[in-house]
Amino acid sequence: FVGGYDITDRVLAERALRDSEQQLRLVQEAGRIGSFVADFAAGRVHRSLEYLALQGLPPDAPAGAPFTDAWLERVHPDDRAQVARWFKEDAARGGPFERVYRIVRPDTGETRWLLNRGRIDLAEDATPLRLVSAQADITHQKAAEVRLREQYGELETVLDAAPAAIWIARDPEARRIDGNAFSRALLRTQDDANMSLSAAGDQRPTGFRVLDSRGAELAPADLPVQRAARGELIENFEEEVRFDGGASVFLLGNARPLLDADGRPR
């Protein structure tokens, strides 16, 4: 007598699970994303090979290990206290989290920036059940951000030293207009508040009026910076800034839009 059971569904499910796990490993390997799963109830963690590589741990380190605070030892000393506070806050609150911090790789001594995204599931009594996180090395991105800030600072220094009024509209609607030091002195203001009032195109600047070369007052929407923000190139325009007290200054200038790849003002 020979008996048997139909296990087709189980075999197909196991194959689908293996395929899914293989695809996940390929995605993590291609994206250099390390996964970290902590089962707080069992007191153990699972660390992917990519996670071990990001953390500077040997590839033969146990993927599954008891959950301890040893991971904090790899966090940069200047970030360690903050990261520990974040972990306590995230564990108490539950749900998704996103943190950026530095680690010091134990294998090379390098300082690396990590982006850590994940979530913590809580039990009914609000104790942490499980933590799932994905980590990526963003050191090159952080270095680019530092350089960009340095370049922006250099640009601001040059603009403020320029013996000319310079205004920059930060969006196509010119709702935010920044000026350099010369422009603030020219308009007799300490900030750009009076220019921001005109940015909506329906309210004129405070403290002065802008007139064209014929002496006609320009509507806010017709100011050169507004027109340039809409995509118009304006060269050698003459205008008068007449202050409420009666004094005037006369300007000669240009306004140029910055266009994206499709030719739209940005």
Side-chain angles (χ1 to χ4, degrees):
F1 175 78
V2 177
Y5 297 93
D6 186 344
I7 60 171
T8 303
D9 290 342
R10 191 187 75 185
V11 172
L12 292 177
E14 291 173 350
R15 288 180 179 176
L17 179 60
R18 286 195 299 270
D19 290 344
S20 177
E21 290 175 343
Q22 183 179 13
Q23 290 172 7
L24 177 60
R25 286 194 298 271
L26 290 174
V27 169
Q28 291 188 47
E29 182 179 353
R32 297 182 180 180
I33 299 172
S35 63
F36 177 93
V37 180
D39 184 338
F40 295 115
R44 298 188 68 80
V45 301
H46 176 79
R47 303 172 296 183
S48 69
L49 290 175
E50 291 75 20
Y51 173 88
L52 297 176
L54 286 175
Q55 294 284 330
L57 299 174
D60 58 353
F67 181 79
T68 68
D69 289 337
W71 61 276
L72 268 175
E73 297 175 2
R74 295 190 295 275
V75 176
H76 192 283
D78 292 344
D79 296 351
R80 193 171 297 156
Q82 178 64 71
V83 171
R85 283 193 296 271
W86 282 340
F87 179 74
K88 290 181 179 179
E89 293 169 1
D90 295 335
R93 182 183 64 252
F97 63 83
E98 179 175 315
R99 303 300 188 186
V100 175
Y101 54 87
R102 293 168 293 176
I103 65 168
V104 179
R105 290 177 57 115
D107 57 343
T108 63
E110 291 179 280
T111 296
R112 310 295 294 182
W113 284 92
L114 295 185
L115 170 62
N116 185 5
R117 288 175 174 159
R119 65 173 295 112
I120 295 179
D121 298 323
L122 302 181
E124 292 183 359
D125 61 357
T127 58
L129 271 181
R130 188 175 68 154
L131 177 150
V132 179
S133 78
Q135 301 185 5
D137 189 319
I138 58 169
T139 304
H140 293 302
Q141 176 183 329
K142 295 297 290 188
E145 290 175 0
V146 170
R147 181 55 186 154
L148 184 60
R149 286 195 297 268
E150 292 175 348
Q151 291 177 337
Y152 186 75
E154 294 168 358
L155 177 61
E156 282 192 320
T157 300
V158 172
L159 291 179
D160 277 343
I166 300 173
W167 289 281
I168 301 175
R170 299 293 185 179
D171 60 279
E173 290 77 29
R175 295 184 180 277
R176 177 188 170 192
I177 302 174
D178 297 331
N180 66 344
F182 193 98
S183 72
R184 292 191 291 272
L186 179 73
L187 298 181
R188 305 177 182 181
T189 180
Q190 298 300 314
D191 53 40
D192 300 309
N194 57 348
M195 292 301 295
S196 298
L197 288 173
S198 70
D202 56 5
Q203 185 176 0
R204 77 175 184 87
T206 57
F208 60 87
R209 293 179 296 153
V210 181
L211 289 69
D212 63 19
S213 58
R214 297 170 298 178
E217 182 174 355
L218 292 173
D222 293 330
L223 293 173
V225 68
Q226 299 285 342
R227 292 164 57 191
R230 294 194 296 268
E232 186 178 349
L233 173 63
I234 307 170
E235 295 182 319
N236 299 319
F237 66 85
E238 296 182 20
E239 65 182 6
E240 175 188 356
V241 176
R242 184 177 299 174
F243 295 97
D244 291 349
S248 292
V249 293
F250 295 86
L251 305 180
L252 174 68
N254 300 280
R256 177 183 299 272
L258 298 179
L259 307 177
D260 61 19
D262 297 323
R264 295 173 300 192
R266 62 180 175 85

